[in-house]
Structure formats: structure tokens, C-alpha cells
């Protein structure tokens, strides 16, 4: 399947996808997108059904993974594409597709992948998934850059920064305590040596 086009959800022009449009496409998802019958019903070429909040790119990715020729597996999608597909799958209760995408996202070992988990948790409103992504980010020991912080949102970024900086401060304090102890021990040792030298000089006199 060709790579997804730029998102054109704000366009007034309705376009048929060159690969995924089916002449009898109403049979594919008519129950999911059912619109009440009227004299001039929605869901036709003349009066297309408007899916508020959905993007053409997200639908293209989801349908491409299910009906594309050849079939496109979600394993071939990057994080951004998986999240777009997840938004549609969750909105329309496609539980198996949603579970598969979440499982794929959780296989990551990259920082950006951990951020994707946070974003996914916000899409499906899962506190467990949010905590999973957050703990992975904290364990990395690194703060997010600005684009990553924007993607994960203020709450997650603030929590992450607090945890990472807290660990850094604790580590710094521990390191400083060790150095101070070393200096104190050295000073005590030097003082004892100096006193021992003075005592020996007095005895020799």
C-alpha cells in the first residue's frame, strides 16, 4: 500500500482513496457508521457522512491494515501511525485492533517509544498504561526534550521532570557526602600525623 497522504480532514472536497475505496463499501462498516434513513440520507456520495474529530490519515492507516492489498500489518507502522490508528480503533470499539496496537507499542525500548505509550494511555484513558510509560521514562534517567514534553502533556512532563531531577539531586547529595567524608577522613589522618611529628620532635629535644 502506498504511504499515507497528508491529513486532509479539513478539506471541503470529498475524495475516494485510490486503493481502499470499495464500490459496495457500505457493506463493510455500515453497522458501525449507521446513519438514520431520511428522504435524503447521509452516508452517500452526494451527502457524505461527517465523522467529527476523525482524520483521513488515521482511517487510511486503519483500513489499510485490514483491507489493504497487499495486507499491511501494523508491525510495519511507526509510532505516529500506530497512534493515529489507535485513535480510530478506540473510538469505534475495535477491541482486538486496539489490543494489538497497545501490545506493539509496549514492545519498544526507545525513549520516543515510551512517550508513545504515554500518548496512547491518554487516547484510551488507561491509568495502568500511563503508569507503565511513565515508569519506563523515569527509569531511563533522562528528562524529555521540548517536543517530547509537548507530546506527553504538562502533567506527565512535570511528573517526569520532578522524578528525574529528584533522583539527580539525591545522587548529587550522596556523591557530595562521600567526598566530604573522604576529605574529613584525610584531614583527621593528616592532623594525627602532624601531632605525631610534633610529639616526636618534643621527645627528641
Amino acid at each position: 500500500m502506498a504511504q499515507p497522504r497528508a491529513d486532509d480532514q479539513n478539506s471541503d472536497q470529498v475524495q475516494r482513496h485510490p486503493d481502499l475505496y470499495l464500490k459496495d463499501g457500505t457493506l463493510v462498516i455500515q453497522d458501525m457508521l449507521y446513519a438514520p434513513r431520511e428522504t435524503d440520507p447521509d452516508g452517500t456520495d452526494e451527502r457524505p457522512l461527517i465523522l467529527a474529530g476523525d482524520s483521513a490519515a488515521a482511517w487510511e492507516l486503519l483500513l489499510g491494515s485490514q483491507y489493504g492489498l497487499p495486507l499491511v500489518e501494523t508491525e510495519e507502522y511507526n509510532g505516529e501511525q500506530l497512534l493515529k490508528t489507535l485513535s480510530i480503533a478506540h473510538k469505534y470499539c475495535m477491541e482486538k485492533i486496539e489490543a494489538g496496537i497497545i501490545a506493539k507499542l509496549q514492545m519498544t525500548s526507545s525513549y520516543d517509544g515510551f512517550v508513545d505509550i504515554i500518548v496512547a494511555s491518554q487516547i484510551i484513558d488507561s491509568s495502568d498504561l500511563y503508569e507503565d510509560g511513565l515508569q519506563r521514562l523515569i527509569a531511563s534517567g533522562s528528562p524529555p526534550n521540548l517536543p517530547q514534553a509537548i507530546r506527553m502533556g504538562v502533567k506527565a512532563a512535570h511528573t517526569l521532570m520532578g522524578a528525574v531531577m529528584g533522583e539527580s539531586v539525591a545522587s548529587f547529595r550522596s556523591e557530595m557526602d562521600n567526598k566530604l567524608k573522604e576529605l574529613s577522613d584525610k584531614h583527621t589522618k593528616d592532623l594525627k600525623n602532624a601531632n605525631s611529628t610534633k610529639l616526636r620532635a618534643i621527645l627528641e629535644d
Side-chain angles (χ1 to χ4, degrees):
M1 187 185 80
Q3 288 296 316
R5 301 184 306 277
D7 198 339
D8 57 359
Q9 63 176 339
N10 295 321
S11 173
D12 292 331
Q13 182 179 5
V14 177
Q15 301 179 9
R16 296 176 178 177
H17 193 283
D19 300 319
L20 300 177
Y21 178 79
L22 305 176
K23 291 182 179 180
D24 59 346
T26 54
L27 298 177
V28 178
I29 52 176
Q30 64 177 359
D31 292 334
M32 183 175 63
L33 303 177
Y34 176 75
R37 294 297 177 185
E38 304 171 358
T39 304
D40 296 314
D42 292 333
T44 64
D45 286 346
E46 292 74 23
R47 295 184 59 180
L49 194 63
I50 305 301
L51 305 178
D54 296 0
S55 71
W59 271 106
E60 183 175 17
L61 289 165
L62 185 140
L63 293 176
S65 70
Q66 303 302 306
Y67 306 109
L69 296 175
L71 181 67
V72 177
E73 300 292 343
T74 54
E75 282 75 7
E76 299 179 17
Y77 289 171
N78 60 33
E80 180 183 0
Q81 292 171 326
L82 285 171
L83 291 172
K84 285 184 176 181
T85 309
L86 178 64
S87 67
I88 297 295
H90 180 71
K91 181 176 180 179
Y92 295 101
C93 302
M94 303 176 188
E95 295 180 356
K96 289 186 178 180
I97 297 177
E98 178 180 315
I101 293 172
I102 295 301
K104 171 63 178 175
L105 289 170
Q106 289 182 306
M107 293 172 61
T108 186
S109 58
S110 70
Y111 198 94
D112 280 327
F114 300 154
V115 175
D116 287 339
I117 293 176
I118 294 290
V119 177
S121 75
Q122 296 165 349
I123 292 174
I124 68 174
D125 192 23
S126 170
S127 57
D128 290 341
L129 189 61
Y130 174 86
E131 191 64 25
D132 176 42
L134 186 62
Q135 291 305 316
R136 295 189 191 203
L137 287 166
I138 292 174
S140 73
S142 300
N145 58 34
L146 182 57
Q148 291 166 339
I150 293 173
R151 287 186 61 220
M152 70 176 69
V154 174
K155 177 184 175 182
H158 183 269
T159 303
L160 174 59
M161 289 292 291
V164 171
M165 294 303 293
E167 290 184 0
S168 298
V169 170
S171 177
F172 175 77
R173 285 178 176 174
S174 177
E175 183 178 354
M176 290 304 296
D177 286 343
N178 290 334
K179 287 186 177 297
L180 288 172
K181 186 176 183 305
E182 290 177 4
L183 289 173
S184 177
D185 291 343
K186 184 177 184 300
H187 178 71
T188 300
K189 183 178 179 180
D190 291 343
L191 186 59
K192 287 182 177 180
N193 290 337
N195 289 337
S196 177
T197 301
K198 289 181 179 179
L199 179 59
R200 189 180 301 110
I202 292 173
L203 292 175
E204 289 177 353
D205 290 343

